Amino acid sequence: MSHSGAAAGGQLEEKVDLSAEVGTKLKQAETLLAGGGGLSEALALLAALEKRCRVGNDTPSLIKVCTASLQHCKDAENEPMLINTLETLTTRRSQKSAAISAMVQLALPWVLVDKDSNIPLSSLSSDKLVVALRDITDGKIFLEAERAQLTRALATVKENEGDISGAADILQEVHVETYGSLSKKDKVEFILEQMRLTLAKKDYIRAHIVSNKILPKQFQDESDEMQQHKVKFYSLMAQYHVHEKDALNLAKDYHAVYSTPRIQEDSLKWQTALKACVLFLALAEHSNEQQDLMHKVFEADNEHLEALPASKATLELLLQPEIIAYPLSHQTEIEQVLMESLQQLHDEARITDKESKGLPQEDVANWKELLHRRIIQHNVRVVSKYYKRIQGKRLAQMLGLDQSALETEISTMVSSGSLYCKIDRPADIIRFTPSQTPESVLSSWASDIDKLLGLVERTTHLIQKENMTK
């Protein structure tokens, strides 16, 4: 037995080399088990040796003893003893981090498909060992990656048992964005799983909070894995936004999917994404952002739009300052895209076969009605550009509506701030420009006269300058 280091003055801890004795005792424990001896006797022998190695700071020997104890329990297929031994050894006073890490690494393949996987073994009889390992890794920075793996595995076990709420709650316990030992890819993958389960749990508020942990700039990496994560992220966001009935953000989600390089390589996928993007742009409320994205899609993706005549026709109609007749000439194609998009989102959101495969007819009817309203709003905006005032009866006739429906839609647009309008019901006059006071009229005239005189003065000056140069 040799000693190294010095314990005097508390400067260094004493280190004892117990490798020879450890080798002997490990063989003795194996002989005891092979001869029909009890597992408890072998573990008691190794427990005394473990204490000497721990107190003597012989970390390599300590790791051998601890891992041997666990392996004997595993070989004996005694799960209660295995869990008890694991918890006892990892909670010893002044236990070495290297020993705890080695025991966790040894036990990972017993619950996971492999050490780098998040998938639990199909032969896993219970989740007790996974729970025990998660408790051991809790609060230990050097085991952050392993804790994330075990949390994913436990959530998968719960999900397979049909406990979606429990699986989501387990994942929410881990704030993976604070884990410094995980790569950006692993963090994004973990957060995406949190989003998926919270959406499956119908906890849309928490799903939105979790989604804010992922920044769009993280998907600038064009590696194949990050592209897959990007598509999955925006697909999950589409599930959230369709629940919130947020058409503009749905269009942005589909445009982000469409612009992904790996989607561009598959004609069927980019056509599906681009058709959905155009559809939800048409369903979105008029705004600067909506108009900007609409022009961007129409100009930048015009070549791809040639393959989608219904989508191209929709954009052309909405970008022109002309009244649109409803129903559209390609109304059937638009409604087919709507049904396919909603069905796809509904299927992606389904977790169990018990959930309804069909779309709620009320939701489908609401989206179709919204399309009609957006066409009406477009037509009202067009009329407001050409008319300062118009009779309500005449406007209703132009738009093919009854006056009560027209007033309701105009009121909605005025309330949202997208249109200025005053309705004089007794006179049946609709005004699209505010009435001016005499003072404001005089001010505008004075301003116009100042501009006119300025132009006359500048013109006179240029004529004189030209005459002087001759």
Side-chain angles (χ1 to χ4, degrees), residues 146-211:
E146 288 79 3
R147 179 167 175 77
Q149 284 179 269
L150 291 164
T151 301
R152 288 280 303 276
L154 184 58
T156 302
V157 171
K158 293 290 186 184
E159 184 179 356
N160 292 338
E161 293 174 352
D163 187 4
I164 303 299
S165 179
D169 292 340
I170 287 169
L171 280 187
Q172 292 306 314
E173 294 174 6
V174 178
H175 301 286
V176 73
E177 66 276 7
T178 65
Y179 284 12
S181 59
L182 290 180
S183 66
K184 179 175 69 175
K185 179 184 74 67
D186 291 335
K187 289 180 181 180
V188 169
E189 187 177 345
F190 194 96
I191 294 171
L192 288 175
E193 191 66 10
Q194 288 180 326
M195 288 178 61
R196 184 183 71 83
L197 286 175
T198 49
L199 285 170
K201 185 185 173 184
K202 312 299 183 187
D203 188 353
Y204 294 100
I205 295 176
R206 187 173 293 277
H208 180 61
I209 294 171
V210 172
S211 70

Side-chain angles (χ1 to χ4, degrees), residues 86-130:
L86 182 63
E87 292 175 344
T88 301
L89 292 177
T90 54
T91 54
R92 293 284 193 194
R93 184 173 178 270
S94 302
Q95 185 61 278
K96 308 300 179 188
S97 299
I100 298 174
S101 181
M103 286 187 280
V104 172
Q105 290 292 336
L106 176 67
L108 281 180
W110 300 340
V111 295
L112 304 177
V113 173
D114 58 68
K115 284 188 177 182
D116 298 324
S117 171
N118 303 313
I119 305 172
L121 289 171
S122 58
S123 59
L124 199 63
S125 58
S126 71
D127 58 0
K128 292 181 180 178
L129 182 55
V130 182

Side-chain angles (χ1 to χ4, degrees), residues 381-392:
R381 280 192 300 273
V382 170
V383 171
S384 69
K385 290 180 180 180
Y386 296 105
Y387 289 85
K388 289 185 177 180
R389 65 177 188 171
I390 187 174
Q391 281 193 335

Side-chain angles (χ1 to χ4, degrees), residues 234-235 238-239 247-260 263 270 272-278 280 340-342 344-345 348:
Y234 284 108
S235 298
Q239 292 180 30
L248 178 58
N249 276 313
L250 272 168
K252 291 162 70 175
D253 294 336
Y254 279 109
H255 189 262
V257 172
Y258 163 75
S259 61
T260 306
I263 297 297
W270 69 251
T272 301
L274 185 55
K275 285 192 291 186
C277 175
V278 172
F280 288 109
E340 290 174 355
S341 301
L342 294 178
Q344 181 184 3
L345 291 171
E348 290 174 354

